[in-house]
Amino acid sequence: MANELCVDMTVESTAALLLAEHDWLILTHQYPDGDTLGSAFALCRALQLTGRSARVVCNDEIPEKYEYLTTASTEDPFIPTHICAVDVADVKLLGAELEETYGDRIDLCIDHHISNTHYARHLLLKDYSATAMIVLEVVRAMGVQPDKLIAEALYTGISTDTGCFKYSNTTALTHRMAAELMEVGIRSDMINRQMFDIKSRARIELERMALADMRFYCDGRVAIMPVTLDMIDKANARENDMEGLSPLPRQIEGVWIGVMLREKATGGYKVSFRSGNHANASAVALQLGGGGHIAAAGCTLDTVSLDEATTQVLTAIRRAVPGVESVDR
Ligand SMILES: [Mn+2]
């Protein structure tokens, strides 16, 4: 629920608030990504450079590929009295443990999600491509010139939240800020390779098996890719290896709707729909009791076999996507 006592902040008043206190615990969202981590470690270092004590905490383990970010700050030991959340749209997204401990006492939130629920006492909200862009403005307003470590952390946030500057949320300002960070002398090539190119061996094995079992329907306008427990087991894949798998079928030329059917440990399938200009993924997901956005949506099908899940998905697509079947037949 929105908090009426939440104070809207400017970049300047946020910088002043941060500098007015002597210690800050910085919280990221659960299942951390490049933006929440980049924003957190950059802000942490900026605070430390101004003589404050600061530390980053995350509900979940930080995936290995982000490890270079953690060197941006030192592990200050202190009992936290001031709490700041970055890139966290809702208090629930902190993750169970952090929400339990800090959920009702967040002093400041810096975020770019317009859906932010105003759970913090002070909120700096700007409709930017990444929270890291807002943090760059705050760091400057604190009188800190971004050094290489801060710049690499912020660049990571901007690059990951824009899909390496490919998503429609990429603006001229996104590029300008990225360019400013590059002028500091960052390893943007290493960062983008680490974030977007490198895949684990297990991930490639999993992709190989999933692609081998992918089937096409509706004259190639629908592609359904199964990811079964058996495949996950054979590939020796961990949760990290699953990230970003669902857009694969949609990348194929001529596919309007790409579907991933991921078998759940408890039985049944988690279904992800990805669509382009020709179809509304959320309309399809709604047919099956799910939801989401136009380009990306999902639902869960409990206690069904792979064949049954495929049939249900195809029925929903034929109902919700006009013209998906060839007009010739
Ligand atoms: Mn973000």
Side-chain angles (χ1 to χ4, degrees):
M1 205 170 66
N3 174 9
E4 286 154 27
L5 300 173
C6 175
V7 178
D8 289 322
M9 302 292 276
T10 63
V11 166
E12 290 70 30
S13 63
T14 301
L17 175 67
L18 285 163
L19 293 175
E21 308 299 348
H22 288 277
D23 70 74
W24 285 96
L25 190 71
I26 304 165
L27 311 183
T28 72
H29 61 71
Q30 62 184 350
Y31 312 119
D33 61 14
D35 192 28
T36 198
L37 291 171
S39 297
F41 283 106
L43 183 61
C44 186
R45 179 165 175 85
L47 284 163
Q48 290 177 344
L49 289 175
T50 62
R52 272 74 182 166
S53 294
R55 195 166 63 219
V56 176
V57 275
C58 183
N59 200 76
D60 304 305
E61 201 187 325
I62 295 171
E64 265 165 52
K65 68 173 175 177
Y66 298 114
E67 218 160 83
Y68 69 93
L69 291 177
T70 62
T71 60
S73 62
T74 51
E75 279 265 314
D76 284 355
F78 64 95
I79 296 162
T81 49
H82 297 91
I83 319 289
C84 172
V86 286
D87 198 43
V88 184
D90 188 287
V91 77
K92 285 190 175 62
L93 299 175
L94 288 170
E97 234 169 276
L98 288 188
E99 188 194 351
E100 166 82 29
T101 317
Y102 303 108
D104 58 354
R105 50 174 289 220
I106 314 264
D107 297 288
L108 171 65
C109 172
I110 302 174
D111 189 23
H112 71 132
H113 299 97
I114 46 165
S115 59
N116 188 289
T117 56
H118 294 71
Y119 57 87
R121 287 181 200 142
H122 302 87
L123 172 65
L124 173 59
L125 183 66
K126 291 185 112 182
D127 188 15
Y128 280 178
S129 340
T131 295
M133 291 168 67
I134 314 173
V135 173
L136 174 58
E137 293 185 342
V138 170
V139 164
R140 286 230 178 83
M142 287 165 66
V144 174
Q145 259 331 301
D147 62 3
K148 191 179 161 203
L149 291 171
I150 289 176
E152 289 193 338
L154 294 177
Y155 182 91
T156 300
I158 297 172
S159 178
T160 50
D161 259 27
T162 59
C164 208
F165 308 93
K166 283 195 298 187
Y167 297 160
S168 58
N169 66 353
T170 309
T171 64
L173 183 65
T174 317
H175 283 290
R176 265 190 218 111
M177 285 191 172
E180 284 173 39
L181 295 170
M182 285 188 76
E183 278 166 354
V184 179
I186 60 170
R187 300 166 292 172
S188 57
D189 52 343
M190 177 282 283
I191 293 169
N192 286 323
R193 179 168 151 72
Q194 186 99 328
M195 293 301 122
F196 299 101
D197 291 352
I198 291 180
K199 294 178 180 180
S200 68
R201 176 84 176 266
R203 166 56 175 262
I204 292 289
E205 291 290 340
L206 188 62
E207 280 187 19
R208 190 171 59 79
M209 286 185 272
L211 288 172
D213 282 7
M214 185 161 68
R215 297 286 176 268
F216 294 90
Y217 305 89
C218 304
D219 294 328
R221 297 188 183 100
V222 177
I224 301 184
M225 179 179 78
V227 177
T228 63
L229 292 174
D230 186 49
M231 291 177 191
I232 294 167
D233 185 52
K234 274 187 187 145
N236 208 1
R238 294 172 305 168
E239 198 51 44
N240 278 345
D241 299 315
M242 315 284 190
E243 205 181 298
L245 203 54
S246 51
L248 260 186
R250 174 61 196 98
Q251 287 175 352
I252 300 158
E253 194 175 22
V255 169
W256 292 9
I257 288 256
V259 185
M260 181 173 90
L261 296 175
R262 182 176 161 187
E263 190 178 3
K264 298 191 302 164
T266 50
Y269 286 83
K270 191 176 166 286
V271 190
S272 306
F273 299 100
R274 294 287 182 278
S275 64
N277 297 331
H278 296 289
N280 180 343
S282 120
V284 179
L286 270 175
Q287 296 273 329
L288 298 167
H293 306 279
I294 289 181
C299 68
T300 304
L301 298 175
D302 287 316
T303 63
V304 290
S305 68
L306 184 55
D307 282 349
E308 285 161 353
T310 304
T311 306
Q312 287 189 30
V313 160
L314 284 171
T315 305
I317 289 173
R318 288 184 175 114
R319 271 199 204 125
V321 183
V324 73
E325 294 277 13
S326 170
V327 285
D328 299 326
R329 60 174 71 169

